[in-house]
Amino acid sequence: MKVHSKFRPLYLIRKNSLFLFTCFCFLIFYDKVVSGVYETIILFFLFFTVSIFFQVINLRTINEIIVSEEGITKINFLTKKVNFIPYSLIANLDTIRVQGMSGKAGQITSGYFESMVILKNGKKILISPDSFENYQEIIACIRSHVLN
């Protein structure tokens, strides 16, 4: 059975928020850019360049995960680089509790759990329900292969 990760739409929006903000600013200041106000053009160009730089850094951290009978395939969202991890290289599968948020009136959320796949070479892969809609299905499939 193969399980393909499904990104949460809000996760992708959050990862792209700076770029979306830049596009929104361009729409707002479009008339000044077109009319040739050089200060606005230069500021927008600098902001757009910095935005693209950070956008590329953000996109490099996003990975698609495919869990199969043989192992875990991690595919980078930006570069499409494929990294296959056989189950024999997995040392442990830990569950980490992420603390909830608290406000002046008390605790807003109770928090949630993330899973950390720890490899025998010391590397770690974080799988979070914040990123994937089918987090439970991914973790259940990995556990069924690692614990057997």
Side-chain angles (χ1 to χ4, degrees), residues 13-75:
I13 289 171
R14 189 182 70 219
K15 284 289 191 179
N16 293 307
S17 60
L18 182 63
F19 185 72
L20 294 173
F21 178 72
T22 303
C23 293
F24 180 72
C25 287
F26 178 74
L27 292 175
I28 291 174
F29 296 110
Y30 177 76
D31 57 335
K32 289 185 180 178
V33 172
V34 171
S35 66
V37 179
Y38 295 111
E39 294 85 11
T40 307
I41 294 172
I42 291 170
L43 284 174
F44 180 78
F45 179 73
L46 288 173
F47 185 70
F48 187 73
T49 305
V50 170
S51 172
I52 293 295
F53 174 74
F54 284 113
Q55 182 66 23
V56 169
I57 291 173
N58 253 347
L59 290 178
R60 290 183 67 191
T61 63
I62 300 175
N63 293 303
E64 179 185 359
I65 296 174
I66 301 171
V67 181
S68 64
E69 297 294 325
E70 297 81 32
I72 302 169
T73 305
K74 196 171 91 169
I75 304 169

Side-chain angles (χ1 to χ4, degrees), residues 17 83 103 107 117 121 124:
S17 60
N83 186 11
Q107 193 166 9
V117 178
N121 62 5
K124 298 176 182 180

Side-chain angles (χ1 to χ4, degrees), residues 64-148:
E64 179 185 359
I65 296 174
I66 301 171
V67 181
S68 64
E69 297 294 325
E70 297 81 32
I72 302 169
T73 305
K74 196 171 91 169
I75 304 169
N76 187 284
F77 189 76
L78 186 65
T79 63
K80 301 298 181 197
K81 179 183 172 190
V82 177
N83 186 11
F84 181 74
I85 302 158
Y87 291 117
S88 60
L89 293 181
I90 298 175
N92 199 2
L93 182 63
D94 285 344
T95 302
I96 302 164
R97 180 171 170 73
V98 176
Q99 293 297 323
M101 294 176 54
S102 296
K104 291 181 181 177
Q107 193 166 9
I108 298 171
T109 63
S110 60
Y112 60 95
F113 292 95
E114 295 179 330
S115 294
M116 181 78 68
V117 178
I118 302 171
L119 305 178
K120 290 181 179 174
N121 62 5
K123 292 185 179 178
K124 298 176 182 180
I125 301 171
L126 181 68
I127 302 174
S128 173
D130 188 41
S131 306
F132 304 112
E133 283 183 358
N134 58 342
Y135 165 79
Q136 295 292 340
E137 189 179 357
I138 293 168
I139 295 304
C141 192
I142 293 173
R143 276 205 175 102
S144 70
H145 289 94
V146 170
L147 298 178
N148 288 336

